[in-house]
Amino acid sequence: MASEAGEGSTAGMDDYETLISTTDVELLKKAWRNEKAAPEILRFETSLIQRIRGQIQLMIEKYMFHISKNPEVQSRLSEQEKGFARRCADDMERHLEESVLSKLPDNYQDIVKQSIISEESDMIPEPQLDSFVVCKSRRFLGPFQLDGSDELLEMKPDELCIIHYKSIRERVQEGDIDLV
């Protein structure tokens, strides 16, 4: 009985290892390592690159208007991504104007505001920076203060932590903390 439980744990761990090793990120890392180490140019991983590009484009599409109004966010994008975001925003704006906005009263024909009396761009989805994320530190960090709190946090390398993204945003951007 005890050996069966042990075998089940091993099988479960093997399934997890197999799953992790087949994620697009791991496949991309493997392709990159192989390409770097090979003495010749290897086959282009078309389907993998298309899937990853598609995931990036979905995120850009989701926040296209937020990106177009925020120079700081634009500065983080490649020229190709900026062009894609512009095309998406232009296409969506044209589509909404032709199909919906032109049929509404004048006070409601703005693409970014609910009405002309709105003082902010309340129709633009923005990333929710106060959402929780799972992360781990690359090195010992601490103690450091969390945003909007008197609480101090200490993080050890490779220790998983669940925390509001906005509290660690700068450390993620600096490369001290990885999101999992």
Side-chain angles (χ1 to χ4, degrees), residues 99-163:
S99 64
V100 177
L101 295 175
S102 63
K103 294 167 179 55
L104 294 175
D106 290 343
N107 294 350
Y108 299 96
Q109 291 188 357
D110 195 314
I111 191 91
V112 296
K113 297 180 182 179
Q114 287 189 32
S115 70
I116 59 171
I117 61 171
S118 296
E119 294 183 17
E120 56 186 75
S121 302
D122 50 7
M123 296 295 287
I124 296 179
E126 296 182 3
Q128 297 301 311
L129 301 181
D130 61 345
S131 62
F132 283 95
V133 294
V134 178
C135 62
K136 66 180 180 178
S137 175
R138 291 182 172 200
R139 60 183 177 81
F140 177 78
L141 295 176
F144 63 94
Q145 191 167 7
L146 299 175
D147 290 348
S149 172
D150 294 334
E151 186 177 345
L152 294 176
L153 178 66
E154 191 172 277
M155 292 181 73
K156 297 176 185 167
D158 297 324
E159 186 175 84
L160 292 179
C161 184
I162 300 174
I163 193 163

Side-chain angles (χ1 to χ4, degrees), residues 44-113:
F44 183 73
E45 299 287 341
T46 305
S47 62
L48 174 62
I49 300 302
Q50 286 175 341
R51 281 195 312 271
I52 290 173
R53 184 178 289 141
Q55 292 168 3
I56 292 168
Q57 289 176 342
L58 283 174
M59 182 67 83
I60 291 172
E61 286 175 355
K62 182 175 183 179
Y63 298 115
M64 66 184 123
F65 291 121
H66 173 70
I67 292 168
S68 67
K69 74 171 190 160
N70 192 325
E72 179 189 347
V73 175
Q74 287 177 23
S75 71
R76 296 184 213 143
L77 301 179
S78 69
E79 290 304 317
Q80 290 173 324
E81 291 169 327
K82 287 177 193 174
F84 179 76
R86 261 191 310 276
R87 286 190 308 278
C88 283
D90 291 346
D91 290 348
M92 181 60 75
E93 190 169 343
R94 187 172 40 259
H95 169 71
L96 290 174
E97 285 173 355
E98 290 172 2
S99 64
V100 177
L101 295 175
S102 63
K103 294 167 179 55
L104 294 175
D106 290 343
N107 294 350
Y108 299 96
Q109 291 188 357
D110 195 314
I111 191 91
V112 296
K113 297 180 182 179

Side-chain angles (χ1 to χ4, degrees), residues 31 34-45:
N34 287 344
E35 192 70 39
K36 269 181 71 171
E40 63 178 342
I41 294 176
L42 300 177
R43 182 177 57 86
F44 183 73
E45 299 287 341

Side-chain angles (χ1 to χ4, degrees), residues 8-51:
S9 298
T10 305
M13 192 58 124
D14 289 343
D15 291 344
Y16 175 75
E17 295 293 328
T18 301
L19 177 64
I20 292 299
S21 69
T22 60
T23 64
D24 283 347
V25 172
E26 290 304 317
L27 293 172
L28 186 60
K29 285 180 187 178
K30 180 181 174 186
W32 177 250
R33 282 191 306 268
N34 287 344
E35 192 70 39
K36 269 181 71 171
E40 63 178 342
I41 294 176
L42 300 177
R43 182 177 57 86
F44 183 73
E45 299 287 341
T46 305
S47 62
L48 174 62
I49 300 302
Q50 286 175 341
R51 281 195 312 271

